[in-house]
């Protein structure tokens, strides 16, 4: 029976990725670990598959990254993590802006078909699970950030949107707010659906009636948030707090409040999502949800590259990372008397 790379990893007490790094002469392995792996290789008389090695030599050493909208700052830290990890592993990165169009995403996926890239990372993709699984089942390497994909071959990285949205609304309720508006993102975005779900869950837990008129769509950008807030103000329903599904739209709310003479947080509490750098420098500082965006990008890239360089991919594949509600001035005013 032929010895496989996972057999060597088991004997050496390391991961398959570590064995691969030793075989490829990577500098990311300590000398102690290298000796341990080499002893297992010698003892088991392991020889890397010649065909696999040949195919690896024909690779482009390039990873494609599809983002929904390059103008949204959420993607910047993720892409930085992707690029830095890729660079450390001697891979190049191509950024593809889908501009919120599913057809564009599908078009960029063709870069896999013609072998322009070795792998593709999709950040909050609009394409269906079925399409992603179809590519992976044909041995094309795909990773996903911002969504769970039920596939043994697709590494994915995401945060619990429902959980942190519930925490945001809980925080606003604790500050005395009962009428809380919600700004959603793209209509077809999973993040939009899940953050709305968390919002509604918190309302139900406190027996607060859900009011559809307090929901507006801001398309995850500043101008969209500005326009959405203006539409809310023009309605007859009153509200004292707004939960924005990202910081970009919340910045639009800030602009609209300044024009209308609405003071934050005394007249209107505001909470965003993403913890963009600007949230610490505007006045008042914005409450927001921090997601470890850089880590998400770097870790998923490491898993994709490990997948590219292994005979088999059997390490951890699904990562649900923790987020943190950061309470700042924009929502820390209590209405409880």
């Amino acid at each position: 029976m032929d010895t496989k790379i996972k057999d060597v990893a088991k004997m050496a007490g390391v991961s398959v990725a570590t064995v691969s790094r030793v075989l490829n002469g990577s500098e990311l392995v300590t000398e102690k670990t290298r000796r341990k792996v080499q002893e297992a290789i010698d003892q088991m008389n392991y020889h890397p598959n010649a065909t696999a090695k040949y195919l690896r030599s024909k690779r482009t050493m390039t990873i494609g990254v599809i983002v929904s909208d390059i103008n949204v700052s959420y993607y910047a830290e993720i892409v930085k993590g992707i690029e830095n990890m890729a660079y450390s592993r001697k891979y190049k990165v191509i950024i593809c802006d889908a501009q919120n169009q599913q057809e564009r995403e599908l078009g960029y996926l063709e870069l896999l078909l013609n072998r322009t890239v070795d792998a593709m990372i999709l950040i909050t993709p609009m394409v269906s699970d079925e399409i992603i699984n179809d590519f992976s089942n044909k041995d094309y390497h795909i990773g996903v950030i911002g969504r769970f994909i039920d596939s043994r071959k697709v590494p994915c990285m995401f945060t619990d949107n429902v959980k942190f949205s519930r925490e945001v609304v809980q925080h606003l309720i604790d500050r005395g707010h009962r009428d809380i508006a919600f700004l959603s993102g793209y209509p077809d975005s999973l993040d939009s659906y899940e953050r709305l779900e968390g919002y509604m869950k918190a309302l139900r837990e406190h027996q607060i009636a859900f009011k559809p008129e307090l929901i507006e769509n801001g398309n995850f950008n500043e101008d969209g948030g500005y326009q959405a807030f203006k539409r809310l103000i023009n309605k007859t329903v009153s509200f004292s707090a707004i939960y924005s599904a990202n910081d970009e739209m919340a910045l639009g709310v800030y602009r609209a409040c300044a024009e209308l003479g609405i003071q934050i947080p005394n007249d209107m509490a505001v909470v965003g999502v993403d913890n963009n750098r600007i949230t610490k420098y505007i006045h008042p500082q914005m409450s927001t949800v921090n997601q470890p965006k850089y880590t998400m990008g770097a870790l998923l890239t490491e898993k994709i590259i490990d997948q590219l360089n292994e005979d088999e991919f059997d390490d951890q594949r699904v990562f649900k990372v923790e987020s943190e509600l950061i309470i700042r001035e924009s929502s820390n005013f209590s209405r409880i008397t």
Side-chain angles (χ1 to χ4, degrees), residues 55 58-66 91-96 105 107-122 135 139-143 304 308:
L55 290 174
K58 294 298 181 181
R59 290 196 178 128
T60 65
M61 301 299 289
T62 303
I63 296 173
V65 180
I66 301 177
Y91 277 78
K92 301 180 293 294
V93 173
I94 295 176
I95 308 298
C96 308
E105 286 193 13
Y108 286 131
L109 281 173
E110 291 183 4
L111 295 174
L112 282 171
L113 300 177
N114 59 29
R115 303 293 181 180
T116 301
V117 298
D118 298 332
M120 188 69 78
I121 295 175
L122 287 71
F135 270 84
D139 293 327
Y140 294 106
H141 297 281
I142 293 183
I304 280 283
L308 284 167

Side-chain angles (χ1 to χ4, degrees), residues 66 68 101-107 109 122 124-133 135 142 144 147 149 188:
I66 301 177
S68 296
Q101 298 174 35
Q102 188 181 72
E103 290 183 3
R104 279 179 176 259
E105 286 193 13
L106 291 172
L109 281 173
L122 287 71
T124 58
M126 299 179 70
V127 295
S128 67
D129 290 9
E130 290 76 17
I131 291 174
I132 293 171
N133 283 326
F135 270 84
I142 293 183
V144 175
R147 189 164 117 196
I149 302 293
D188 297 327

